[in-house]
Amino acid sequence: MRPTAAVLALAGCLAALGGLVGCDFELNDGRTATLTYTEDAQAAYNEAMAAFDAKDWEDARALFSEVKRRFAYSRYARLADLRIADLEFEQGKYPEAISAYRAFIQEHRTDRNVEYAKYRMAKSLFLDIDDTVFLPPAEERDQATTIEAHREIRTFLRQFPRSRYREDAAYMLEVVTGRLVRHELYVARYYLKEDVFDAAIARIDYALRTFPGSGLDAEALVLKGETLLKMKKPDEARAVFESVIRDFGGPFAVTARRFLDEMGPGGQRRAPAKAASGPARSGPQL
């Protein structure tokens, strides 16, 4: 990147530190800053922050880089690293922000700002989950970023249980957990439609085991009971439906009761119930 006039001027002033004269230079917004030999890394960092606050991203990046170069052993160099990550985040460049926050965490493990960096890395992963209307429904897409976000958010909440960011992190965890469970149920419905019953049961059990308390347990169990019926395992299906009625209630308990009524005392389903599994689409991301 070609350095701006402000950056070149700052570099010249910093080179003059130790002398007896100051340097004046003009920033993009017309402000004049003076650096003398008595001013230090904090002054340089503050100038970079002024560009950051003004959303002058190009100058801010260059000025933070200059702080890192000139004051490599100061705390302001570490802060400059963090602000460069913030700069990427503020521009919506989430993959770049994730890399920058991760590098800060790895290089400054004992820094007091690690908590902030881990939160912002998790937030970047959360925001990097693409929900544009032009893509297929969320449950049909590859979940790699969602899985990584789920892992990082859980790690953050475990490491910083009293964090001031806890409420937002808990909300993000709820959202990504729901998305991951819906994906597993979507795949299970696909297998059910294709009569691959063991695979459907495996995906449902995985969702229940891996994401307990997701709020989708009752839906998953009704789908499991329906699959067990098609596998001609009425006793197991009945036990699952009864657990939904006993433990959850709500609309899925109504569906579970309907299945039990249709099964009758003999345990065999007499007539098709309204499908609890919903429509299945072809070609899920497995």
Side-chain angles (χ1 to χ4, degrees), residues 41-42 45 71-80 111-113:
Q42 183 177 5
Y45 175 79
F71 302 100
Y73 298 104
S74 74
R75 67 180 294 266
Y76 292 101
R78 298 196 301 275
L79 287 173
D111 192 273
R112 63 187 180 185
N113 288 303

Side-chain angles (χ1 to χ4, degrees), residues 8-275:
L8 292 172
L10 176 60
C13 289
L14 292 172
L17 288 177
L20 298 178
V21 295
C23 293
D24 293 336
F25 63 93
E26 187 172 304
L27 298 175
N28 284 353
D29 59 2
R31 293 178 297 115
T32 298
T34 300
L35 294 178
T36 69
Y37 75 101
T38 59
E39 292 174 298
D40 58 6
Q42 183 177 5
Y45 175 79
N46 288 343
E47 291 299 332
M49 280 303 303
F52 180 93
D53 291 339
K55 302 187 187 304
D56 188 350
W57 307 125
E58 183 179 357
D59 271 7
R61 183 189 300 278
L63 290 167
F64 283 129
S65 296
E66 191 67 19
V67 171
K68 290 172 57 180
R69 187 174 73 86
R70 292 288 181 175
F71 302 100
Y73 298 104
S74 74
R75 67 180 294 266
Y76 292 101
R78 298 196 301 275
L79 287 173
D81 268 335
L82 197 55
R83 296 291 86 81
I84 289 173
D86 286 342
L87 186 151
E88 305 288 13
F89 181 93
E90 293 298 330
Q91 295 180 88
K93 298 179 179 179
Y94 300 122
E96 292 85 348
I98 292 163
S99 296
Y101 287 125
R102 183 172 282 124
F104 178 89
I105 293 163
Q106 292 172 347
E107 293 169 12
H108 310 294
R109 295 180 185 276
T110 60
D111 192 273
R112 63 187 180 185
N113 288 303
V114 164
E115 176 188 346
Y116 171 82
K118 288 189 173 184
Y119 162 71
R120 293 281 277 199
M121 182 174 72
K123 184 81 169 181
S124 299
L125 283 161
F126 177 77
L127 293 174
D128 197 40
I129 299 171
D130 199 338
D131 284 320
T132 173
V133 296
F134 298 106
L135 292 176
E139 66 271 14
E140 296 184 34
R141 293 178 234 151
D142 179 74
Q143 302 297 310
T145 302
T146 313
I147 292 169
E148 187 177 2
H150 183 268
R151 181 176 64 248
E152 292 296 341
I153 297 167
R154 285 190 65 196
T155 298
F156 175 81
L157 288 168
R158 185 173 63 252
Q159 291 181 341
F160 305 101
R162 294 184 175 87
S163 173
R164 58 177 171 165
Y165 309 115
R166 179 176 177 79
E167 184 176 347
D168 189 40
Y171 164 75
M172 291 190 293
L173 183 62
E174 180 182 354
V175 172
V176 298
T177 299
R179 178 164 176 161
L180 289 171
V181 173
R182 288 186 182 93
H183 175 72
E184 294 302 320
L185 299 185
Y186 168 74
V187 176
R189 290 182 179 109
Y190 172 80
Y191 284 134
L192 178 59
K193 179 184 176 183
E194 299 297 316
D195 294 339
V196 187
F197 302 129
D198 288 337
I201 293 292
R203 298 305 285 251
I204 296 165
D205 284 345
Y206 172 81
L208 291 167
R209 181 177 65 253
T210 309
F211 309 107
S214 67
L216 298 169
D217 302 61
E219 179 179 353
L221 287 168
V222 169
L223 180 60
K224 181 175 182 177
E226 181 181 0
T227 306
L228 289 167
L229 274 180
K230 292 192 174 184
M231 296 173 74
K232 302 187 184 308
K233 296 182 177 181
D235 292 340
E236 293 181 40
R238 181 181 296 278
V240 170
F241 291 137
E242 288 176 347
S243 74
V244 173
I245 296 168
R246 180 182 64 250
D247 299 332
F248 297 97
F252 286 100
V254 174
T255 304
R257 172 59 64 189
R258 186 180 304 125
F259 272 110
L260 289 174
D261 291 343
E262 291 170 354
M263 288 171 66
Q268 295 298 324
R269 190 176 176 189
R270 294 194 300 257
K274 182 178 180 181

